[in-house]
Amino acid sequence: MPSKSRRPFKFQEFAGHSGDVRCISIGRKSCKVLATGGDDRKANVWALGKPNAILSLSGHTSPVSCVCFDAQEETLVGGAESGTIKLWDLDQGKAIRTLLGHRSECLSADFHPYGAFFA
């Protein structure tokens, strides 16, 4: 019996970075927001169903290589190729903490599921 080939389905397309996108994270609380980090040194926050970014967070001096929401989707952590980690308050739309000291690229970051800690 011949198999039916499945055609790709494009749910939604987001365009907001001026360079390549390096990472993506979906908010675990609502599953209706996502964050992207890119070569343009920005982290963008998107609402599913909306064509444009609802926030564009800048401040990194090198490409953003990882992003992650906290459990309440109120804070975003972003790590960069330079090793810098930034913590953004999404209500205020600004960086609330910058962590320096890594000697190489920050490839991954995640929040503890029950608290305000991240690694």
Side-chain angles (χ1 to χ4, degrees), residues 3-37:
S3 65
K4 294 181 181 178
S5 62
R6 294 185 183 225
R7 296 179 61 170
F9 174 75
K10 181 169 49 171
F11 178 67
Q12 185 174 349
E13 182 176 353
F14 297 96
H17 287 281
S18 61
D20 290 340
V21 173
R22 290 183 163 221
C23 55
I24 185 168
S25 178
I26 297 174
R28 291 176 238 170
K29 180 179 178 185
S30 70
C31 296
K32 294 183 179 180
V33 293
L34 60 97
T36 55

Side-chain angles (χ1 to χ4, degrees), residues 7 15-16 26 35 37-38 43 45 57 62 64 67 70 92-94 107 115 119:
R7 296 179 61 170
I26 297 174
V45 179
L57 305 164
S62 64
V64 177
V67 289
D70 71 336
Q92 296 179 23
K94 67 178 188 176
L107 296 172

Side-chain angles (χ1 to χ4, degrees), residues 60-78:
H60 277 294
T61 59
S62 64
V64 177
S65 50
C66 65
V67 289
C68 184
F69 289 100
D70 71 336
Q72 300 303 315
E73 298 172 357
E74 296 171 347
T75 307
L76 185 76
V77 63

Side-chain angles (χ1 to χ4, degrees), residues 50-116:
K50 301 207 183 232
N52 299 317
I54 55 175
L55 277 175
S56 186
L57 305 164
S58 58
H60 277 294
T61 59
S62 64
V64 177
S65 50
C66 65
V67 289
C68 184
F69 289 100
D70 71 336
Q72 300 303 315
E73 298 172 357
E74 296 171 347
T75 307
L76 185 76
V77 63
E81 192 175 81
S82 65
T84 302
I85 298 170
K86 288 196 174 283
L87 200 60
W88 284 287
D89 180 311
L90 298 179
D91 288 332
Q92 296 179 23
K94 67 178 188 176
I96 54 175
R97 177 98 45 181
T98 300
L99 304 170
L100 306 170
H102 288 89
R103 294 182 183 172
S104 61
E105 183 174 4
C106 177
L107 296 172
S108 180
D110 202 356
F111 279 90
H112 187 281
Y114 304 117

